[in-house]
Amino acid sequence: MRPHVDQRQAQVLALVQERGSVRVADLAQELGVSPVTLRRDIEAMAARGEIQRMHGVISRVAAGRTPGGGPSGGPSAGSARAVAGGPAAGGGGGEGLVIGMVVPTTEYYYADVVRGAREAVEARGARLTVGLTRYLPGEDRTQADRLLSTGAHGLLLTPNWEAGSPGPGEGAWAAELPVPTVLVERWAPPGHPAAALDRVSSDHAYGAARAVQHLMEAGHRRIALASRTTPTTARLRAGYEAAVTALGLELAPPWPPAGPAPLSDAELFARTLDYLCEAVTTGGVTAALIHSDTDAIMLIPRLQARGVRVPEDLAVITYDDEVAGMADVPLSAVAPAKHEVGARAAALLLDRLSPSPTSATPQAPPRQHLDLLPRLTIRP
């Protein structure tokens, strides 16, 4: 049976007094409690001034402090910073901090995300280390553990969640990490343990809806969405369908249902091509939002070879805007604010680790879910 919370916190205090300092991850294992439970205890104890907390380590209160805060017993700025997970002195900067970042790749979409994070981290005097998963199952947790073992004080985390959010029984580990963690371009639904984490992501639903709105304003009444299954697709489709309904547009032919066996990339591409050809020639579609740029650039000459003229028969807006402007005929595109997503996520994590020295709140500030709106670029 687990000890009562008061007994457990007394154990924590005794061990800290005995050893001077101890890593939170080691302490959770020693006491046989989850990191989440132990973090709650640590936050409560730090708020009372019984311990100091910094970068995944807790330590004895500095000499001269009394339980409850500063020398006079009142709340102190040092105690407030300890609760937030930052150092007990300084504040606002990130000197000496190591930020770990787990991403599927540093190419294409994530190149800008990583660049934004790195620039924000280095501007604060901290260092960014990166772990790559290549979308391999279970590799996100492996990389997170590796970065922690090499001294990361906080994590920027993009898990390999196929739909952009965790599936049933998936992803609870992300909420149990022993250091402050920010989800990047991922989200967890209400009720999931990871929903309580800080999060910075692109509002892909808004981006899709903005494209539909622009095409409607250009006179199109039946607009299709063509997207292979990626972590972005579910949000794109949600925004697309919401905009079609809100704007009173005609429904495009439904996307072909998935078969029992997974398709190869070549088969998925051929299915997208067939869908768009039929949508134009028999389904009355005159415009499409295509995800991604590379698919659109490859599709257009094949559409034209099958008698579908672009843009005369089918107006196209792409999603991602990585290479849309470099097509032989530059394409209009929706661009998620990838660089800013990385920068905002890094800044949020650094603020958790090194809060402002002017902060006097006895508790950590509320967690944040920040959605950045993509931009639509119209090219002639």
Side-chain angles (χ1 to χ4, degrees):
M1 185 175 179
R2 287 186 175 182
H4 186 271
V5 60
D6 291 339
Q7 294 175 318
R8 187 173 60 241
Q9 292 182 11
Q11 282 183 278
V12 171
L13 184 59
L15 290 170
V16 171
Q17 293 289 358
E18 175 187 343
R19 302 174 188 175
S21 65
V22 61
R23 291 183 68 246
V24 174
D26 295 339
L27 189 57
Q29 186 174 10
E30 182 175 346
L31 296 178
V33 299
S34 75
V36 173
T37 298
L38 185 57
R39 276 203 300 270
R40 294 195 192 102
D41 289 336
I42 289 170
E43 288 180 359
M45 296 172 69
R48 296 195 297 267
E50 297 171 349
I51 59 173
Q52 291 186 15
R53 176 184 175 186
M54 59 187 77
H55 314 329
V57 175
I58 56 175
S59 61
R60 286 194 295 250
V61 175
R65 294 190 184 274
T66 60
S72 63
S76 71
S79 296
R81 288 193 291 272
V83 175
E95 295 80 0
L97 293 177
V98 177
I99 302 302
M101 186 173 195
V102 178
V103 287
T105 176
T106 55
E107 302 166 358
Y108 198 69
Y109 190 101
Y110 286 98
D112 273 349
V113 177
V114 173
R115 189 177 300 112
R118 177 175 57 80
E119 292 173 2
V121 167
E122 292 178 354
R124 299 270 288 266
R127 182 167 64 91
L128 183 72
T129 59
V130 175
L132 302 179
T133 68
R134 297 294 181 184
Y135 295 102
L136 296 175
E139 188 64 19
D140 43 13
R141 185 168 188 176
T142 298
Q143 291 297 320
D145 289 341
R146 182 184 65 80
L147 291 172
L148 290 175
S149 72
T150 58
H153 300 112
L155 289 177
L156 302 171
L157 184 62
T158 305
N160 291 327
W161 296 339
E162 185 175 350
S165 61
E170 186 180 28
W173 64 270
E176 298 178 354
L177 292 166
V179 298
T181 300
V182 177
L183 293 179
V184 181
E185 293 291 25
R186 295 292 184 265
W187 63 281
H192 189 280
L197 294 174
D198 288 308
R199 180 185 81 217
V200 180
S201 58
S202 299
D203 191 339
H204 297 303
Y206 171 88
R210 181 70 187 90
V212 171
Q213 181 184 25
H214 173 77
L215 290 168
M216 183 273 295
E217 291 169 350
H220 299 282
R221 299 294 303 169
R222 186 167 291 178
I223 302 163
L225 169 66
S227 175
R228 304 194 224 178
T229 301
T230 73
T232 306
T233 304
R235 306 309 290 270
L236 288 178
R237 186 157 294 279
Y240 160 80
E241 292 177 351
V244 166
T245 299
L247 297 171
L249 300 178
E250 300 169 9
L251 296 178
W255 186 253
L263 300 178
S264 68
D265 284 348
E267 290 170 329
L268 288 168
F269 185 81
R271 186 174 71 158
T272 303
L273 178 60
D274 290 341
Y275 169 76
L276 287 174
C277 285
E278 292 179 18
V280 173
T281 57
T282 65
V285 166
T286 61
L289 171 62
I290 300 178
H291 178 231
S292 62
D293 298 348
T294 53
D295 276 9
I297 289 174
M298 293 174 65
L299 281 165
I300 287 172
R302 289 164 174 81
L303 286 166
Q304 292 173 331
R306 289 172 61 168
V308 177
R309 298 170 301 166
V310 177
E312 293 86 355
D313 300 325
L314 183 70
V316 169
I317 290 180
T318 73
Y319 197 88
D320 274 355
D321 204 13
E322 289 279 340
V323 293
M326 293 186 284
D328 54 349
V329 177
L331 300 171
S332 298
V334 176
K338 300 178 282 288
H339 183 279
E340 188 69 10
V341 165
R344 293 285 190 96
L348 178 55
L349 182 56
L350 287 165
D351 287 344
R352 289 281 177 205
L353 291 165
S354 303
S356 169
T358 62
S359 173
T361 176
Q363 294 185 344
R367 301 284 176 85
Q368 297 184 45
H369 289 173
L370 181 60
D371 290 330
L372 303 186
L373 302 186
R375 295 179 293 269
L376 173 63
T377 298
I378 303 301
R379 298 184 174 99

